[in-house]
């Protein structure tokens, strides 16, 4: 059985990373204040100055791929693969997963599409997919086994987000407005463990305290150096904030790689948002 993996643009996956893999991507949507509907691609983010609009407090929103777009993508991929595992954006951000389940249950797709439930976020979805790609190349052909591997990956993954603008989260119903206004008034940052139910793990004004919290959570979960960590930022993040974050991570002895924060998160949390995504080294690909 030939198995393909489908992600959406919330995974931060680039075409360069997909060369030679069985992974494909369907874009989500960004809706501008004038109701212009853009596919979530870097080209569109830059062409339409989306991050500037976000920073200027314009009412920029996001939307899932439509059922029709999914039907087209599934049909296209099933010409190349016998089965598709579709790892969507998480349910606590979007209804994309429910829509994918609905479309996958249509007669022409029954038994050919699997949409696993999960709580992976941002680039962890991409890392999990690349791990599955490795297993498939090693001749793993059982869909149930691969879905179990997604759960195992999820159980050893951490996502921590430090929103650049909590008022945007509040506007989208993703934070309590009073809580957000208090934090913004005192220039305090919330450190949020992003899971099925996101949980605030700290409030801090100093970057050093934020990184201490991140370090403590990594050590508690993995021990020393038992993980792969990515620092996620937008390409428009203030240079000083990025440099200071790098310095604080290095001062804590934390090894990390850098990647771009998927634009869906930047739209909802601000362009100064910091993301820290880690997974166990046992899932290296």
């Amino acid at each position: 059985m030939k198995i393909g993996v489908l992600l959406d643009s919330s995974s931060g996956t680039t075409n360069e990373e997909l060369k030679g893999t069985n992974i494909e991507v369907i874009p989500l949507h960004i809706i501008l204040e004038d109701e212009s509907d853009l596919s979530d691609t870097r080209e569109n983010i830059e062409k339409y100055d989306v991050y500037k609009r976000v920073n200027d407090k314009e009412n920029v929103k996001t939307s899932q791929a439509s059922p029709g777009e999914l039907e087209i993508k599934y049909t296209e991929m099933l010409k190349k693969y016998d089965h598709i595992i579709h790892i969507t954006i998480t349910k606590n951000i979007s209804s994309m997963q429910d829509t994918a389940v609905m479309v996958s249950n249509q007669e022409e797709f029954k038994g050919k599409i699997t949409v696993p439930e999960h709580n992976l976020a941002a680039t962890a979805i991409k890392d999990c997919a690349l791990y599955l790609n490795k297993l498939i190349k090693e001749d793993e052909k059982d869909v149930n086994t691969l879905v179990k591997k997604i759960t195992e990956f999820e159980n050893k993954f951490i996502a921590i987000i430090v929103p650049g603008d909590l008022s945007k989260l509040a506007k989208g119903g993703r934070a309590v407005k009073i809580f957000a206004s208090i934090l913004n008034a005192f220039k305090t940052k919330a450190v949020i463990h992003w899971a099925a139910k996101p949980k605030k793990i700290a409030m801090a004004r100093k970057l050093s305290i934020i990184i201490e919290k991140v370090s403590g959570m990594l050590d508690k979960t993995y021990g020393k150096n038992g993980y792969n960590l990515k620092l996620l930022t937008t390409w428009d993040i203030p240079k000083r904030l990025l440099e200071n974050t790098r310095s604080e991570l290095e001062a804590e002895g934390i090894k990390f790689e850098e990647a771009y924060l998927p634009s869906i998160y930047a739209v909802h949390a601000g362009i100064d948002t910091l993301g820290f995504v880690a997974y166990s080294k046992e899932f290296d690909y």
Side-chain angles (χ1 to χ4, degrees), residues 29-41:
H29 292 263
I30 293 175
I31 315 297
L32 302 183
E33 194 166 60
D34 64 4
E35 299 301 321
S36 298
D37 188 332
L38 313 176
S39 290
D40 177 27
T41 64

Side-chain angles (χ1 to χ4, degrees), residues 77-229:
M77 288 186 70
L78 286 171
K79 292 176 182 177
K80 296 180 278 185
Y81 303 104
D82 302 307
H83 198 94
I84 301 166
I85 298 175
H86 184 183
I87 311 176
T88 67
I89 186 172
T90 51
K91 292 178 78 170
N92 59 7
I93 301 177
S94 169
S95 55
M96 184 77 262
Q97 193 175 107
D98 291 335
T99 300
V101 169
M102 178 188 73
V103 174
S104 70
N105 283 326
Q106 292 177 189
E107 195 60 40
E108 65 267 40
F109 301 127
K110 274 188 178 178
K112 300 176 183 178
I113 314 285
T114 297
V115 185
E117 283 199 29
H118 70 89
N119 292 298
L120 296 170
T123 55
I125 295 174
K126 171 183 65 181
D127 291 323
C128 183
L130 288 168
Y131 174 65
L132 294 187
N133 177 70
K134 173 189 171 185
L135 297 180
I136 292 168
K137 285 193 170 184
E138 292 171 352
D139 213 28
E140 179 56 69
K141 297 178 181 178
D142 183 71
V143 172
N144 290 329
T145 297
L146 292 169
V147 170
K148 286 179 183 177
K149 291 297 181 182
I150 295 173
T151 302
E152 290 174 12
F153 187 102
E154 179 185 342
N155 289 338
K156 295 189 177 180
F157 125 94
I158 291 174
I160 298 170
I161 185 171
V162 183
D165 186 354
L166 272 169
S167 66
K168 290 194 68 63
L169 283 174
K171 189 180 292 185
R174 294 171 177 84
V176 179
K177 290 185 179 181
I178 296 175
F179 174 66
S181 64
I182 291 172
L183 291 181
N184 286 336
F186 288 95
K187 296 184 179 179
T188 304
K189 295 292 185 182
V191 185
I192 300 170
H193 177 206
W194 199 265
K197 293 183 178 180
K199 179 182 178 183
K200 175 179 63 67
I201 57 176
M203 292 187 296
R205 297 182 69 178
K206 292 185 177 180
L207 185 58
S208 59
I209 295 175
I210 292 172
I211 300 305
E212 282 177 14
K213 291 294 182 181
V214 172
S215 178
M217 196 163 186
L218 291 172
D219 288 347
K220 182 179 179 181
T221 305
Y222 305 106
K224 286 289 183 183
N225 302 319
Y227 56 86
N228 296 305
L229 174 68

